[in-house]
Amino acid sequence: MAGGCLALALASLTAAGAAQETPSAGGWRAFEGSWAVSGQRYTVPVEGGATAAIVEASGAVALAKADGLSHGFRGEAVTFDDGRGVSLGRAVWTDEHGDRLFSRLQGEPLETGKRIVGTITGGTGRYAGLEGEYSFTWQYVLSAEAGAIQGRAGRLQGRVRRNATAP
C-alpha cells in the first residue's frame, strides 16, 4: 500500500497547478490537499464496552495548493483515542529536504467521515518560525487483521504564517 500511496501522491502533484498566491492580511498563506496513510492501531477495552486506542500512521501528504510550503511531505502521526470520542495526537510532516513542520492534532476517532484539526506549532529549516492551523476529514479508513489500518484524509485545508516573534 505504501507504494500505492506514493503513486497517488505523485499523481496528485502532477495534476495540481503550482500557482503561488500572495499572503493575505496578517501574512497568512493557504494550503490544501490530501493525506494517505497506513499504520497500526493498538486497542484496550475500557468501561462501558468502549475501546481506547493508540494509532501510529504515516504516508504521503500531497498539497495541490501549497503557497509557501512544499507540495509533498511524508506525514507521520501518533494519536490517542480515549474511547469516549476524543482523539489527541502529534504529527510531523517532512519534506524532500528533511525540513519538518510540527503540529498538534485533536478531533474525533480515526473513522470514516470523522474530522481532525491540526495546530501548527513550528518547524525546522525553511519552516522554522511557522504557525498555523489545518483540518481534514477521513474519506475512508480500512481496518485489517492484527490492527493494521489504511486511510485517506481529504479536504485537508489550512493556513500558515511566519510567527511575529520568529527571527
Side-chain angles (χ1 to χ4, degrees):
M1 176 65 183
C5 290
L6 185 55
L8 174 65
L10 293 175
S12 298
L13 294 177
T14 303
Q20 295 292 309
E21 295 181 5
T22 57
S24 66
W28 290 106
R29 294 179 178 266
F31 64 89
E32 59 186 54
S34 63
W35 189 357
V37 300
S38 62
Q40 275 307 118
R41 181 185 342 222
Y42 305 95
T43 62
V44 296
V46 295
E47 68 279 352
T51 303
I54 295 173
V55 175
E56 296 176 89
S58 63
V61 177
L63 299 180
K65 177 180 171 186
D67 193 21
L69 299 175
S70 177
H71 284 274
F73 292 88
R74 173 170 174 72
E76 301 172 83
V78 175
T79 63
F80 173 70
D81 173 353
D82 70 354
R84 295 182 296 168
V86 176
S87 291
L88 299 171
R90 298 290 285 198
V92 59
W93 296 357
T94 306
D95 73 9
E96 69 276 11
H97 304 291
D99 294 336
R100 295 178 171 166
L101 194 59
F102 302 107
S103 60
R104 285 189 310 267
L105 302 174
Q106 183 173 353
E108 300 172 295
L110 180 67
E111 296 175 7
T112 299
K114 300 298 184 175
R115 186 167 183 262
I116 302 292
V117 174
T119 301
I120 296 170
T121 58
T124 65
R126 69 186 260 198
Y127 308 121
L130 287 186
E131 65 182 1
E133 57 203 22
Y134 61 94
S135 65
F136 58 84
T137 301
W138 290 109
Q139 286 181 324
Y140 68 82
V141 177
L142 305 172
S143 296
E145 72 287 338
I149 56 120
Q150 296 177 8
R152 183 174 190 279
R155 295 192 308 254
L156 188 153
Q157 298 176 326
R159 63 187 190 155
V160 294
R161 72 176 174 187
R162 184 87 35 211
N163 184 321
T165 61

